[in-house]
Amino acid sequence: MIGNLLRSHGIVLIPGDGIGPEVTSAAKATVDAAAHKNGFEVDWEYAYAGMTAEKKYGEVLPKETLDAIMRSRTALKGPITTPIGEGFRSVNVELRQRLDLFANVRPAKLFAGVRSRYSKVDLVVVRENTEDLYAGIEFESETTASKELIRFAKKRTGKAIREGSAIGFKPISGFASRRIVRFAFDYAKSNRRKKVTAVHKANIMKFTDGLFLKSARSVAKNYRTPFEEMIVDNMCMQLVTKPELYDVIVCPNLYGDILSDLCSGLVGGLGLAPSGNIGERYAVFEPTHGSAPKHAGKNEADPAAAILSAVMMLEHIGEKRAASQLERATLAVIKEGKKVTYDLRAARPSSTTQMTAEIVKRIEGTG
Ligand code: NAD
């Protein structure tokens, strides 16, 4: 008997919370269509994280989910709701740290058909994903630990921290800084990008951001791609006035998070911003946006960010032809502007499933 001759890729699908299940199911449908068109199949394994996982397993990041990603090495994930200022810590941050997904790659490109104040934006934020203020080492105010740290700081630096302050750590290592800057230069080289800009605040944070900057300078010497440095506040101003001057932007965790949302605003909003969290062994692709609770369950969220994240995923697993077909089909639907969701300002907005069906139809019609 002849076995199944199709090549197959095992991918973990984490639907997530809020609009997550709607946009990941859209991405899955389009990936399946592109796979079918290109003679392979995706063997999806569902896994859970966030509030959905808490209901099912009693924990927000179950071992089963981590094990599944470690087996298949690649996942497509929906956004996860994180309680603000209380409750459990971010599952996303934990996932990135546990799997050492050190590079968060967030492209921001202006597509034809999207209304924007700008005529050309095509840049990529490469964000360090494992340390900085996201390390999750914080001490609540008025605890023994925070009081001890206040005393320690006074003794070692002579500087007084106000009594009753909460304290957070900002660890920045030379190892992680060099690793992310190398990643940014390698990415620039393989994607024919013209420049790498390292973003920092080393004029104020001389040791932490200073180490990031020193590391960036030392790595840059080994590459031909032009390199420049920019202080983060100036970077924000530059991006909103002349985004066309920038290409690959590499930065520590917090600045990367903020700048990438800013960049998504330049190109039509969060509904269009994909991302990949990439490490040596594993990769998790997800839209940059959150769980947008007010749109959840209404079949109105833009599936494009999740679908474009799936495009990045297909490239990552080596299915470049399917990736480019899926990207072309998605961009064609956006450009035409007839079957798109509310955020793309269609005269009559389509639902998530209608926009997805239109993209699938385009893939099926591809020669
Ligand atoms: P959000 O990205 O969920 O929503 C902000 C606004 O952006 C929404 O109100 C909506 O107008 C728009 N938007 C986002 N995605 C859209 C889409 N696909 N289609 C159309 N419009 C879209 O940000 P938030 O409201 O600050 O966060 C909500 C929750 O998501 C929080 O719990 C937050 O912690 C979490 N979050 C998760 C991730 C992640 O899992 N990677 C990322 C960011 C935020």
Side-chain angles (χ1 to χ4, degrees), residues 7 21 34 48 75 156 174 278 327 329:
R7 63 183 183 282
Y48 299 90
R156 295 301 293 256
I278 298 166
E327 184 176 46

Side-chain angles (χ1 to χ4, degrees), residues 77 79-82 92 270 286 289-292 294-295 302 342:
K77 175 186 155 296
I80 288 170
T81 301
T82 309
N92 299 311
L270 283 167
E286 62 180 342
H289 63 71
S291 55
K294 73 176 180 199
H295 299 291
D302 189 342
Y342 80 94

